[in-house]
Amino acid sequence: MTTYRVPFENGESAFTEKRSRFISHIWRVETEAEARERIEEMKKRYYDARHNCWCYLLRDGPVRYSDDGEPAKTAGTPALEVLQHSGLTDLIVVITRYFGGVLLGAGGLVRAYSEAAAKALDAAGLCQYVPVVRWGVAVDYAHWARLDRFLQSSDIQLEQTDYGAEVLCQGLSREEAWEPFRQALYNHCDGRVEVQFAEHAIAPWPID
């Protein structure tokens, strides 16, 4: 299954260019309705701003942008180009501008909105959706410390640990790493660990 890259988390950034304040926000979204909700959210929050420009890319949906009153192709378009060049999808960026009284010109606006989109991407970080195995393993308390050390040193995402009659850990492994991980798990714990479930899924994985 093909992997694809998305923002790791929501991000926010701001800077000032010739007295105009640019505030950019980025979110991971999966539907056009979600993207529109974020746009309206920013318009309400920054109701007194001169412009709230935006663009979004959806893997299974449309590509949209708005200059929101800025000269054509000086705001939403350059921001969209930054997103497209990043290789990410399923995201929206909204860039708010508080006008500072100094005109930036078309070239200045393109540079400013491009920088705002790039700063939003930097703030969010990157991850990719990849095939994974979501697993749950159980071990008795006598072997828990050994299992804990092994998990902490493994290339996994540990999601949850429950302490009951025995310790149940749930996490994610990259699909191609699951079998080596499972075998190493058994070996490390002398076979005293039980895999309670192992389900194939698609999930976000951080990019180093």
Side-chain angles (χ1 to χ4, degrees), residues 5-7 26 54-59 61-65 75-93 113-114 117-118 121 126:
R5 306 202 305 171
V6 297
I26 186 171
W54 51 264
C55 57
Y56 59 83
L57 287 167
L58 298 175
R59 187 169 57 99
V63 174
R64 300 274 191 260
Y65 68 90
T77 301
L80 177 62
E81 289 177 352
V82 170
L83 300 191
Q84 290 173 324
H85 290 158
S86 74
L88 274 68
T89 189
D90 285 354
L91 75 164
I92 178 170
V93 169
Y113 280 101
S114 297
L121 287 173
L126 306 178

Side-chain angles (χ1 to χ4, degrees), residues 18-154:
K18 294 183 179 178
R19 294 175 19 197
S20 281
R21 187 68 171 163
F22 292 86
I23 307 168
S24 52
H25 290 81
I26 186 171
W27 299 267
R28 186 193 310 170
V29 294
E30 295 182 352
T31 66
E32 191 166 14
E34 286 183 70
R36 292 290 179 178
E37 287 176 5
R38 294 300 189 180
I39 294 168
E40 292 306 314
E41 177 185 339
M42 292 298 98
K43 286 183 176 180
K44 290 178 181 178
R45 180 185 301 184
Y46 301 108
Y47 65 91
D48 57 341
R50 177 73 66 90
H51 308 282
N52 284 289
C53 307
W54 51 264
C55 57
Y56 59 83
L57 287 167
L58 298 175
R59 187 169 57 99
D60 297 319
V63 174
R64 300 274 191 260
Y65 68 90
S66 170
D67 295 313
D68 193 36
E70 294 281 30
K73 297 185 178 181
T74 62
T77 301
L80 177 62
E81 289 177 352
V82 170
L83 300 191
Q84 290 173 324
H85 290 158
S86 74
L88 274 68
T89 189
D90 285 354
L91 75 164
I92 178 170
V93 169
V94 179
I95 302 170
T96 300
R97 180 191 181 193
Y98 281 93
F99 181 55
V102 178
L103 296 176
L104 300 183
L109 287 173
V110 169
R111 287 190 294 273
Y113 280 101
S114 297
E115 181 178 353
K119 287 181 177 294
L121 287 173
D122 289 342
L126 306 178
C127 69
Q128 58 185 343
Y129 271 82
V130 299
V132 300
V133 173
R134 177 170 279 109
W135 45 260
V137 299
V139 68
D140 59 37
Y141 282 90
H143 291 80
W144 163 234
R146 184 183 297 185
L147 174 62
D148 185 38
R149 287 193 298 271
F150 173 74
L151 295 178
Q152 295 300 327
S153 65
S154 299

